[in-house]
Amino acid sequence: MNKNSSNIMALTPNTSNKRETICIFGTGDFGRALGHKMIQSGYPVVFGSRSTQKSSLIPKDAELLSHAEAAQKAAIIIIAIQRQHYNFLTSLAEILHGKVLVDVSNNLKINQYPESNAEYLAQLVPGAKVVKAFNTVSAWALQSGTLDASRQVFVCGDDMEAKQRVMDIVRALGLTPLDQGTLLAAQEIENYPLQLFPMWRFPIVLSLCLATFFFFYCLIRDVIYSYVYDNQDFSFFITISIPNRVCPILALILLALVYLPGVLAAIIQLYRGTKYRRFPDWLDKWMLCRKQLGLVALAFASLHVLYTLVIPIRSFVRWRISSQIISQALNNKTEPLNNTYAWLSDSYLALGILGFFLFVLLGITSLPSVSNNVNWREFRFVQSKLGYLTLILCTAHTLVYGGNRFLSPSSYRWYLPNAYMLSLIVPCIVLVVKFVLILPCLDKPLTRIRQGWERNPQYSEQSNYIINKSAV
Amino acid sequence: MNKNSSNIMALTPNTSNKRETICIFGTGDFGRALGHKMIQSGYPVVFGSRSTQKSSLIPKDAELLSHAEAAQKAAIIIIAIQRQHYNFLTSLAEILHGKVLVDVSNNLKINQYPESNAEYLAQLVPGAKVVKAFNTVSAWALQSGTLDASRQVFVCGDDMEAKQRVMDIVRALGLTPLDQGTLLAAQEIENYPLQLFPMWRFPIVLSLCLATFFFFYCLIRDVIYSYVYDNQDFSFFITISIPNRVCPILALILLALVYLPGVLAAIIQLYRGTKYRRFPDWLDKWMLCRKQLGLVALAFASLHVLYTLVIPIRSFVRWRISSQIISQALNNKTEPLNNTYAWLSDSYLALGILGFFLFVLLGITSLPSVSNNVNWREFRFVQSKLGYLTLILCTAHTLVYGGNRFLSPSSYRWYLPNAYMLSLIVPCIVLVVKFVLILPCLDKPLTRIRQGWERNPQYSEQSNYIINKSAV
Amino acid sequence: MNKNSSNIMALTPNTSNKRETICIFGTGDFGRALGHKMIQSGYPVVFGSRSTQKSSLIPKDAELLSHAEAAQKAAIIIIAIQRQHYNFLTSLAEILHGKVLVDVSNNLKINQYPESNAEYLAQLVPGAKVVKAFNTVSAWALQSGTLDASRQVFVCGDDMEAKQRVMDIVRALGLTPLDQGTLLAAQEIENYPLQLFPMWRFPIVLSLCLATFFFFYCLIRDVIYSYVYDNQDFSFFITISIPNRVCPILALILLALVYLPGVLAAIIQLYRGTKYRRFPDWLDKWMLCRKQLGLVALAFASLHVLYTLVIPIRSFVRWRISSQIISQALNNKTEPLNNTYAWLSDSYLALGILGFFLFVLLGITSLPSVSNNVNWREFRFVQSKLGYLTLILCTAHTLVYGGNRFLSPSSYRWYLPNAYMLSLIVPCIVLVVKFVLILPCLDKPLTRIRQGWERNPQYSEQSNYIINKSAV
C-alpha cells in the first residue's frame, strides 16, 4: 500500500486481537521499538529476557517473561540480541524446535564474519526455521513512525511457509517485504544497511579532483592574469564566471569517460579474439560505475545551464553591455549585423540545448522505475544510440563555442590554452576510436565475438573446437 | 510486464479456452466490466443473477444462470454485489463451501463499517475462502482498456492457495497483483480508493494561505504605494513581479517548516529524557507530511527560477534598461564598474543556483523508485546533511539578496518591511536552534536517548531499572 | 536488492558450494554465459551436449556430459537450445520426468509460432514441470556483468514449487524475478524482448511529420520572404528562431491531441447511448498512446523553454537591442513605458510559465513509480483536472502572445498566416467541445452511460431489459 495510507494507519492503531502472539528475545532498543510497533499493529507481544523484572522500558501492553517461558507462548520468535550472545540459544534448542526464528541483527562492518548471522543462528538451532528480516529498518524510524525512506524489508529463509508468515507480519506493520530467496542471501542483506553510496565514490572523488584542477587553472588565466597585467580586479569571477567554465568542462569529460570503457572493452575483445576472458579489474569496476559517472556529468551540465541562463541578470554583464552601447552612441557608430558571428553564436547555443535535452532524457531513462519498464533492446538503443548522439552534440557545442579562437594567440595566456580546449581531448579520442570501430572491417568480427565466436580456441586448455552453431 | 506490452495484448484478445471458468455474482456495472475483460483474456464466464432472463447488458459470450447454478459451474466466484445484499449468500453456504469468493466491493466513505466487507463476507460464509481483490480498479478503466494509471491490484486473504489463484487471474488481465497479506489488510485496501491526496491537504492549504497573505502584502507595498505616492500604474506587476516575490518567500518558509518539527522533536526528547513517549499529535502529523511540505516548497522554488530567468525578456525590463542607458548616453556619463555590487549580485545568484540544484537533488531522491534503492544510512545522509545544506544556501541567498538594504529606511513603505525580511524569520530560528543542538553538550545526551537510553526511568510505572546494554 | 550492492556482489563471487547442481542443455552463447554466471554465484553446473569432448568454450569449472547423463545429475535443467531442436527431448522423457525444465528461448519475431516455446516444450515432455525464465536477459549483459538495465526476469509456470525454485536461482544471480503467473503468460514474455518502443512509434512519426511541415512553413515566412523582399540574410534563424517557433506549436497541438480522443469517445458514447460497444480501432489505439503523445508534447515544450531562455544571450538579439537603443539615443528620443504592452508581455510569459509548470507536474505523475503510488481517484484528478488546466493555460499563452497581431495585415506574408495561428485550431476545438460536454444537459446522461446505463437496450439481441440497480 502506498506511503500515504500507511502513514495514516500508523496514527489509527488497529487494536484487533485476532493476530497471533509474537515473542521478542532481547529488550534492547531495536527489540523495544519493534515491540511498540507490533503492539500498535494489533499483535500481542511477549518479551523474553534474562531478568523478568519488568522495567519501564518495556511497552506497557507487553508481557515480560524468561526466555523459555516467552518462547513457549509464541510460534514466531524475534531474536533482537547481538550475535555474540546467540550461544545461550543452544540451551533452548528443544523449546525452539519447529519455531520460526527471525534474525534481525546487523554487523558493524561489511563481511565481518565468515558466515552471515542468520546462517550462524541456523547452525546453532538446527531444529528451528530461521528467517532473516527487519535488519534494514532503523529502530528510530520504527519508533517515530517517520518511515519516509524505503519501506522495503528484505526477507530470506529456507522455509517457504515460515518466510510467508514473517512477510505477513512485515506487511501488517505497514512495510513492504521483498523476498530475497534462501538463507544464502542473508550475507548480502546484512551488508546492505552498512553501505554509503559505494558506486558513487569513484565518480565523485574523480570529479572533485578534476573540478579543483580546472578551478585553479581558470583562476590563474582569468583572474590572476588580469590582475597582474591589466591591474583589474575580477575576483568576483569565482562566484559565477569560473564555475560556469569548470562545470561544462567536467560534464564533457565525465560524459566521455562513460563511453571510454566500452571502447576499450571492444579493443580488448578484438585483440583477444574472445569475449569469454575476464576484463582487467579496473575496467570491470569502471564499467560498473558508468551510470553514476553519467549522472554526475548530468549534474554538472545542469549547473552549467543554470549559470549560463542567469548571465543577462548579472550586474557585471549589464554594466559591460551598457558601457559598450554608451561608448558606441557617444562615438556615433552603428555596427552592422555580423552574420558569421550570429551564425556561430546561434549554432553553439542550439547544439548545447539539444545536447542538454538528450542528456536529460538519458538521465530520466536511468531512473529505476523507467529502466524497469524498457526491455534490453530498448535500453541499449537509448543508452548507446542516444548516448553517442549526446556526446557528439556536446563536443560539437564546445568546438563551435571555440569557433575561430583556437588559433588566435590571444587565447594563450602564460602559454596556457583556454580550459575548454583541454576538455575536448578525451571526447575527441572516444569519438574517433568509436568511428574506427564501426567500420565494417572491425565491426563484423566484433559482432561475431560478442555472439560467442572465438578466434583462437586452440590456445585454450582444450584443443578440440566444435563448431556448434545450432548450440545443441 | 510493462504497460506497453499489456496495452498491445488488450487489443489482441487471447481466446484460448484453456483457462478455468469464473463465476460472477451480480450484473451491475463492475460485474459486467470485469466479465468483459475476463472473456477478452480467455476465461469462460458465467454470471449468477436473481433473474436468469439474459439481458443485453450481459456480454454475448457469457452464460447467465441462477446464483446456485452459476456457483456450481466454477471454483472461483466473484462477488460483484453490494455489501447490503450479502445476506442471501448464507442460503448458498453449502454450494459455496470450499470455493474461492473474491470480494471486489468498495464503500462510500472511509471506515464506513466496523469490519471490512471482506471480513464480513468471511463471517457470513465461513466455509468459503475469501480473497479481497480488484476494488482499486475502476470499471470504466477495465471497460475502455485505458489502464494508464496504476495497474496495481491489492490482494489479501487468509488462504495462500486461493490468493495465488486470484493473483494469477489478476496477471492474466494485464494487471499487477500485490500481495497484502491476510484478510486483516482488507479494511485498509477498502479505504485506499476513497482517498484524495490525504497527506497533501495540510501543505497545500498552508501554502495557499501564506501565498494569499504575501500576495496582498506585496501588492500594497509595490503597486498601491507607487500608485498613491508616485501616481505610477504598475498594476502589471501582479503577473510576474509579485509572484516572483511570493514564490521564493514560500519556498524558503516551507523548506524551513520541513526541518522545524525535527528540531522540536529533539527539544521534547531532551526535555523528557526519553524517546519512548509519544509526541503530541500535531507534531506527529506534521512529521508525517514533511516530504509533501518539501515538495510543495520545491514547486515554489522552481516557479521562482522560471520567473527569474524570464526577467530579461520582459518588455518592462527592456524598457527600463534602455531608458537608463539612453539617459546616461545623453548625459555623457560612463559609470565605472561597482565591484562591491558585482560581488553581491554574483554571490546571491550563485548561492541561489547551488541551493536550487541541491533542492532538486532532494526532490529526485524522494521519488519512490529512487528512495527504494537507497538504504537508511544513505537516505538519512541525503535528507538530513544535504537538506540542511540546502536550507543554509537558500537562507544565505536571501540574506545576500537583501545586502545592505536591511537598514535602509527606503525599504520601509508605510512601516512595512520588505517581504523577504519576513521570510527569513523561520529559517533563521531553525538554523540557530539546530546549531545549538549539535553542540556536544546537547548532542551527546540526545544521541544516547535516541539509542534507547532513558534519563528518569524511576518516574514511570515500574521502578526497577536494569542497565541492559547487551540487550539480552 | 539494489543495483549497487548487486554490482558489488558480481565482483566478489560467492563460491560456497551449498547450492544445488544445475544442468544446462546446449553450449551456445546464452547457455555458456548463464553457466559462467551460475558458477560465479556458487552453483555447480553440468552441461549436457551432443558431443561430450570438452571444448574451450565451456567454463573451466563446469562438467560436460551427454544429455542423459547430465540430466540425471540435476533436478533443474535449463534448456538453452533453439525451439527447432526441442524434438530430441522426447527421447529423454523418462529421465526428465518430474524435473524442472527452464525454457530460456526467444523467437525472431513477435508471435512467430501459434503457441509459445515454453508451452510447446510442456507438450513434448508432459511429465516435466516447465518454467519460462531468463529470456529477457541478454547473454552479453550476463557475461560482462554490466546489468545496468532492467534486472527483471519474468518467470511463469504452472507448478508453484518449481517456479519458486527457479525464482530463487534468479535472485541468487543478482536479478529480480517477477512472477507472471501460469504458463499461459509465456507467449507475452517471449514477445517482450522483441519490442522496440511500440507505443512510441505513432507519436514520434506524427510529431516528425508535423515538425517538418512547420519548419518549412516558418522557413518560407521568416527567411525566404525576408530574403526575397528585403534582401536580408536571416539564414541563421534556422538554428534557434525557427525551432523556437516549431517547438511550441508542436507542444500545443500534441497536447490537444491527448485530450481529443477522450472528447470523441464521449461523443460516440452519447450518440450510441451505451458504453458497452467497442470504439473504432483507430480510436482505441489513439487512446492507448495518449501518455506517449503527452510526453512528446512535454519534450517539445521543454525545448521551447530552453530556446526562449537563451534569447537574451544570442548575439543577434544583443545586436538588435543595442542598435535600437543607439538609434534612440542619437535621435534624442526617450520613449515612455507602454503600459498595455507591458501587460501583454508579462501576462503571456506568466501564462507560459504556469502552463509549463503544470505540464512538468503531469509528466512527473506519469513516471511509473509515482503513478503506482496514487489511486484511481487521484490519478483521474491529476490527469483530467490538471491536464485540462494545462491545456487552457497553454492555449491562453498562445492567444495572448498573438495579442493584437491577429488582424494586422503585416502578419500575413504571401497570404500565409503566422504559424502560431494554425497551432490554435486543434486546442480551441477540444476546449470548446469539452465545454459543451460539461453542460449539465450532456454531462448527466454521459455520467449515467459511464455508470453502466444503456439508452436503447431493445435494439440489442435480447429485448428483456431488467432494471438492475441493486446489481444482484
Side-chain angles (χ1 to χ4, degrees), chain C residues 223-438:
Chain C
V223 177
I224 298 178
Y225 184 93
S226 303
Y227 193 75
V228 170
Y229 282 84
D230 313 334
N231 204 17
Q232 279 189 302
D233 179 11
F234 286 143
S235 58
F236 61 87
F237 274 15
I238 63 173
T239 53
I240 293 193
S241 303
I242 292 180
N244 199 19
R245 279 180 194 280
V246 174
C247 285
I249 288 170
L250 259 76
L252 188 58
I253 292 179
L254 291 175
L255 182 61
L257 290 180
V258 171
Y259 292 96
L260 188 51
V263 162
L264 291 178
I267 293 173
I268 289 175
Q269 287 179 332
L270 270 177
Y271 175 78
R272 287 180 177 170
T274 175
K275 75 166 183 181
Y276 288 108
R277 270 167 65 196
R278 200 126 202 198
F279 293 128
D281 240 33
W282 56 267
L283 188 57
D284 254 350
K285 279 183 185 151
W286 189 352
M287 289 182 95
L288 288 177
C289 69
R290 283 184 296 180
K291 179 180 157 184
Q292 284 75 13
L293 269 174
L295 290 175
V296 173
L298 179 55
F300 281 108
S302 310
L303 279 174
H304 168 49
V305 168
L306 284 173
Y307 279 125
T308 304
L309 292 178
V310 298
I311 285 177
I313 319 179
R314 291 175 61 194
S315 118
F316 165 68
V317 173
R318 285 191 173 165
W319 167 83
R320 203 183 52 195
I321 290 175
S322 73
S323 9
Q324 278 169 6
I325 296 176
I326 292 168
S327 75
Q328 280 183 35
L330 295 181
N331 297 329
N332 238 335
K333 272 198 311 191
T334 38
E335 273 184 13
L337 174 63
N338 181 338
N339 222 296
T340 317
Y341 198 58
W343 256 106
L344 271 181
S345 146
D346 277 13
S347 332
Y348 107 75
L349 287 172
L351 286 168
I353 287 170
L354 292 175
F356 180 66
F357 174 77
L358 288 183
F359 209 162
V360 171
L361 266 194
L362 286 177
I364 291 172
T365 54
S366 76
L367 282 173
S369 70
V370 177
S371 65
N372 274 342
N373 272 318
V374 298
N375 64 31
W376 256 97
R377 216 180 138 202
E378 294 166 343
F379 184 80
R380 293 209 53 190
F381 175 81
V382 170
Q383 291 297 327
S384 115
K385 299 270 161 67
L386 285 195
Y388 269 104
L389 188 55
T390 309
L391 185 57
I392 290 168
L393 285 171
C394 293
T395 311
H397 167 67
T398 315
L399 282 168
V400 175
Y401 166 78
N404 44 15
R405 268 180 286 178
F406 276 104
L407 299 170
S408 122
S410 73
S411 314
Y412 297 86
R413 298 182 181 160
W414 284 335
Y415 304 106
L416 296 175
N418 235 319
Y420 74 86
M421 296 185 194
L422 300 181
S423 77
L424 281 165
I425 298 168
V426 189
C428 286
I429 290 173
V430 171
L431 288 177
V432 167
V433 177
K434 179 72 187 178
F435 180 75
V436 171
L437 283 173
I438 57 171

Side-chain angles (χ1 to χ4, degrees), chain A residues 73-91:
Chain A
K73 288 219 168 184
I76 295 178
I77 298 156
I78 289 166
I79 311 294
I81 58 185
Q82 289 168 31
R83 182 192 168 115
Q84 308 93 278
H85 304 282
Y86 278 7
N87 328 10
F88 88 96
L89 291 168
T90 49
S91 62

Side-chain angles (χ1 to χ4, degrees), chain B residues 1-11 13-14 16 18-19 25-29 32-33 36 40 48-51 53-57 60 67 80-82 85 88 136-141 143-152 164 168 171 192-198 233-241 299 302-303 306-307 309-310 312-316 318-319 322-323 325-327 329-330 367-369 372-374 378, chain C residues 1-4 119 154 160 163 178-182 184 188-189 191-192 195 197-200 269 275-279 281 284-285 287-288 290-292 305 308-309 311-312 317 320-321 325 328-329 332-339 341-343 345-350 353-354 356-357 364 366-382 450-454 457 460-462 464-466 468-472:
Chain B
M1 193 124 307
N2 83 338
K3 299 195 170 187
N4 299 349
S5 65
S6 296
N7 277 338
I8 284 170
M9 294 308 288
L11 293 179
N14 176 353
S16 81
K18 284 168 277 180
R19 305 206 190 259
F25 275 14
T27 56
D29 185 32
R32 279 178 281 156
H36 263 287
Q40 253 177 43
S49 175
R50 278 183 312 194
S51 154
Q53 285 203 289
K54 207 174 173 185
S55 108
S56 71
L57 298 160
K60 262 187 287 181
H67 286 122
I81 57 184
Q82 290 167 29
H85 304 281
F88 87 96
T136 53
V137 184
S138 92
W140 165 239
Q143 190 56 40
S144 63
T146 55
L147 291 157
D148 292 322
S150 173
R151 289 160 175 282
Q152 292 179 344
Q164 282 297 338
D168 276 347
R171 286 190 201 101
Y192 181 68
L194 300 169
Q195 298 170 353
L196 189 63
F197 297 113
D233 178 11
F234 286 142
S235 57
F236 61 87
F237 274 13
I238 64 173
T239 53
I240 292 193
S241 302
S302 310
L303 279 175
L306 284 174
Y307 279 125
L309 292 178
V310 298
I313 319 178
R314 290 175 62 194
S315 116
F316 165 69
R318 286 192 173 164
W319 167 82
S322 72
S323 12
I325 296 176
I326 292 169
S327 76
L330 294 181
L367 281 174
S369 70
N372 274 342
N373 272 318
V374 298
E378 296 166 341
Chain C
M1 196 125 304
N2 82 336
K3 299 196 169 185
N4 298 348
E119 286 166 302
F154 298 117
M160 266 303 281
K163 196 156 61 172
L178 271 189
D179 189 348
Q180 295 293 307
T182 65
L184 288 168
E188 207 182 329
I189 296 179
N191 285 336
Y192 181 69
Q195 297 169 354
F197 296 114
M199 307 307 289
W200 289 89
Q269 287 179 332
K275 75 166 183 181
Y276 288 108
R277 270 167 65 196
R278 200 126 202 198
F279 293 128
D281 240 33
D284 254 350
K285 279 183 185 151
M287 289 182 95
L288 288 177
R290 283 184 296 180
K291 179 180 157 184
Q292 284 75 13
V305 168
T308 304
L309 292 178
I311 285 177
V317 173
R320 203 183 52 195
I321 290 175
I325 296 176
Q328 280 183 35
N332 238 335
K333 272 198 311 191
T334 38
E335 273 184 13
L337 174 63
N338 181 338
N339 222 296
Y341 198 58
W343 256 106
S345 146
D346 277 13
S347 332
Y348 107 75
L349 287 172
I353 287 170
L354 292 175
F356 180 66
F357 174 77
I364 291 172
S366 76
L367 282 173
S369 70
V370 177
S371 65
N372 274 342
N373 272 318
V374 298
N375 64 31
W376 256 97
R377 216 180 138 202
E378 294 166 343
F379 184 80
R380 293 209 53 190
F381 175 81
V382 170
R450 288 187 173 171
Q451 284 166 351
W453 176 81
E454 305 202 25
S460 21
E461 294 100 293
Q462 283 81 15
N464 327 52
Y465 177 55
I466 303 145
N468 206 330
K469 266 222 140 172
S470 70
V472 183

Side-chain angles (χ1 to χ4, degrees), chain A residues 32 74 109 116 126 169 178 211 217 267 286 294 342 359 398 411 450 463:
Chain A
R32 280 177 280 156
K109 42 182 197 178
S116 67
I169 297 173
L178 271 189
Y217 190 95
I267 294 173
W286 189 352
F359 210 161
T398 316
S411 314
R450 289 190 171 168
S463 54

Side-chain angles (χ1 to χ4, degrees), chain A residues 387-401:
Chain A
Y388 270 105
L389 189 54
T390 309
L391 184 57
I392 291 169
L393 285 171
C394 292
T395 312
H397 167 67
T398 316
L399 282 167
V400 176
Y401 166 76

Side-chain angles (χ1 to χ4, degrees), chain A residues 71-144:
Chain A
Q72 269 159 341
K73 288 219 168 184
I76 295 178
I77 298 156
I78 289 166
I79 311 294
I81 58 185
Q82 289 168 31
R83 182 192 168 115
Q84 308 93 278
H85 304 282
Y86 278 7
N87 328 10
F88 88 96
L89 291 168
T90 49
S91 62
L92 299 171
E94 228 166 284
I95 299 167
L96 299 178
H97 189 85
K99 307 238 167 183
V100 179
L101 300 191
V102 185
D103 185 302
V104 302
S105 63
N106 266 325
N107 293 324
L108 296 174
K109 42 182 197 178
I110 287 178
N111 291 327
Q112 193 172 0
Y113 299 100
E115 81 281 73
S116 67
N117 300 350
E119 286 167 301
Y120 174 64
L121 180 61
Q123 284 163 25
L124 282 178
V125 197
K129 298 161 189 165
V130 174
V131 173
K132 179 90 207 177
F134 288 114
N135 72 310
T136 52
V137 184
S138 93
W140 164 239
L142 275 175
Q143 189 55 42
S144 63

